[in-house]
Amino acid sequence: MKFIKRYKFFLITIGIIGIITLINRSIGLKAISVAGYSFKEMALVIPPVFILLGLLDVWVPRETMVKYMGEGSGIKGVILSIILGSAAAGPLYGAFPVAAVFMKKGAKFSNILIFIGAWSTTKIPMFLFEISALGARFAVTRLVVDIPGIILIAYILSQLIPKEEIREIYRKVENM
């Protein structure tokens, strides 16, 4: 029963795909193909992310993370969050385990949000592609607009989310 409760969404999804396959075989097989591709992509991305997380957890002391990305880090925490997020590789779902380790190490909540925003928006490979495909003017303009936007949104969210809710998020991360 615990298994069913824990994996109910997954089991319901399999059931729905099964019904769709019975009704329209080609659509069902396409859905299975897309799910298989997504699973394979995740299987290739997640292990390296977790290896890097393990190394980060062991090699970077909490005091160092607090110094550079913690409550008193100021502008250097913002800049480091942007650089780390921009230099990251992989899809956005890879950012969340990294953010969790940053939180365990004492990074400031707004810096976590900036890191996730940078990961999703300012990746260096994407910037280089934009320069070649859309021109340097477009790429730089987008970056000049996005970076202050990410910082502004992070600080607004940090102020809007109740402090108790932020503490609860940190508590949940500690228990992971």
Side-chain angles (χ1 to χ4, degrees):
M1 195 56 157
K2 187 177 181 182
F3 176 84
I4 292 172
K5 186 175 181 181
R6 184 173 188 176
Y7 296 106
K8 69 180 173 190
F9 179 76
F10 177 71
L11 295 171
I12 290 168
T13 303
I14 288 176
I16 290 170
I17 289 177
I19 292 168
I20 290 171
T21 305
L22 290 174
I23 294 169
N24 187 328
R25 185 172 171 80
S26 66
I27 292 176
L29 291 176
K30 179 70 174 168
I32 292 168
S33 172
V34 168
Y37 176 79
S38 296
F39 179 77
K40 187 174 83 174
E41 181 183 286
M42 282 180 52
L44 292 173
V45 169
I46 295 296
V49 167
F50 280 107
I51 289 169
L52 291 173
L53 289 178
L55 295 173
L56 174 70
D57 204 19
V58 172
W59 288 349
V60 179
R62 180 176 173 84
E63 301 77 37
T64 303
M65 185 63 74
V66 169
K67 178 180 176 184
Y68 291 107
M69 289 182 72
E71 284 301 325
S73 62
I75 191 72
K76 81 180 143 193
V78 171
I79 291 170
L80 187 57
S81 297
I82 290 169
I83 290 170
L84 290 173
S86 298
L92 182 59
Y93 58 78
F96 297 105
V98 177
V101 170
F102 286 172
M103 292 174 89
K104 280 184 178 182
K105 295 281 187 174
K108 186 174 164 183
F109 189 66
S110 60
N111 288 340
I112 298 295
L113 296 175
I114 291 168
F115 166 77
I116 292 170
W119 185 304
S120 68
T121 311
T122 64
K123 286 190 179 167
I124 294 169
M126 184 169 61
F127 178 69
L128 297 174
F129 169 76
E130 286 174 354
I131 289 173
S132 66
L134 303 168
R137 185 174 177 194
F138 172 85
V140 171
T141 302
R142 189 186 66 77
L143 220 53
V144 166
V145 170
D146 285 349
I147 290 174
I150 291 167
I151 295 167
L152 183 65
I153 290 168
Y155 280 106
I156 290 171
L157 284 173
S158 293
Q159 296 306 309
L160 289 177
I161 298 173
K163 299 299 177 211
E164 182 53 39
E165 193 170 332
I166 293 172
R167 281 192 290 276
E168 182 61 24
I169 292 168
Y170 276 84
R171 271 195 292 274
K172 285 182 179 180
V173 167
E174 282 298 323
N175 294 328
M176 290 172 72

